[in-house]
């Protein structure tokens, strides 16, 4: 088995695409219309373009349990997922300079350093550096 695509629920695909590409630095891999409102929209790491894709999946507007779950995680400050980085402090500084809102500034926790930010699309995302 191999992981090819992971999904992150987003409240607005266009806003998510802009944030994940222009701010976080991913590149768009696939963009296929599924309906008037939804697309199969993935981004990848620009250095690993054949690596795991992140599906910017539209949050189900008509499926209350999914909306409740996403909001509960966000309100509790629990990251939906995490991305590894080489240096959390540097990435924190770069993103902070771009106006990204952090709920947890760089913090050492045992063998890792973490920070948590708002992806502007309904999720908290954690960045992690292995120490």
């Amino acid at each position: 088995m191999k992981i090819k695509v992971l999904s992150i629920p987003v409240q607005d695909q266009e806003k998510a695409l802009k944030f994940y590409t222009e701010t976080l630095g991913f590149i768009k891999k696939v963009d296929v219309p599924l309906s008037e409102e939804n697309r199969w929209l993935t981004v990848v790491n620009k250095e690993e373009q054949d690596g795991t894709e992140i599906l910017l999946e539209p949050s189900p507007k008509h499926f209350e349990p999914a909306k409740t779950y996403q909001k509960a995680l966000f309100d509790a400050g629990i990251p939906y997922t995490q991305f590894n980085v080489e240096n959390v402090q540097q990435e924190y500084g770069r993103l902070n300079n771009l106006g990204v809102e952090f709920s947890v500034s760089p913090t050492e926790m045992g063998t890792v350093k973490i920070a948590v930010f708002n992806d502007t699309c309904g999720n908290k995302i954690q960045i992690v550096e292995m120490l």
Side-chain angles (χ1 to χ4, degrees), residues 53-114:
E53 297 174 45
I54 300 169
L55 173 62
L56 302 175
E57 187 167 13
S59 293
K61 294 178 179 146
H62 307 294
F63 187 58
E64 201 58 40
K67 289 194 308 191
T68 301
Y69 177 69
Q70 184 181 19
K71 184 174 180 342
L73 285 178
F74 187 89
D75 291 347
I78 298 171
Y80 189 85
T81 195
Q82 71 178 30
F83 301 138
N84 284 22
V85 296
E86 292 294 318
N87 185 309
V88 164
Q89 193 66 48
Q90 285 180 353
E91 195 64 19
Y92 171 82
R94 182 185 79 80
L95 294 174
N96 203 31
N97 287 339
L98 292 172
V100 173
E101 176 189 310
F102 279 81
S103 56
V104 177
S105 56
T107 305
E108 284 192 26
M109 302 178 81
T111 60
V112 298
K113 184 184 279 188
I114 64 145

Side-chain angles (χ1 to χ4, degrees), residues 8-85:
I8 295 177
V10 297
Q11 296 164 344
D12 179 319
Q13 283 186 303
E14 198 56 44
K15 184 177 178 182
L17 179 61
K18 183 177 169 99
F19 182 82
Y20 279 77
T21 56
E22 294 178 16
T23 304
L24 298 184
F26 292 100
I27 60 169
K28 180 169 62 171
K29 173 97 178 195
V30 177
D31 189 355
V32 178
L34 298 176
S35 68
E36 285 186 31
E37 296 180 10
N38 299 323
R39 300 144 56 183
W40 182 268
L41 179 60
T42 68
V43 296
V44 294
N45 180 305
K46 65 176 84 172
E47 284 118 28
E48 296 178 19
Q49 294 182 28
D50 291 325
T52 303
E53 297 174 45
I54 300 169
L55 173 62
L56 302 175
E57 187 167 13
S59 293
K61 294 178 179 146
H62 307 294
F63 187 58
E64 201 58 40
K67 289 194 308 191
T68 301
Y69 177 69
Q70 184 181 19
K71 184 174 180 342
L73 285 178
F74 187 89
D75 291 347
I78 298 171
Y80 189 85
T81 195
Q82 71 178 30
F83 301 138
N84 284 22
V85 296

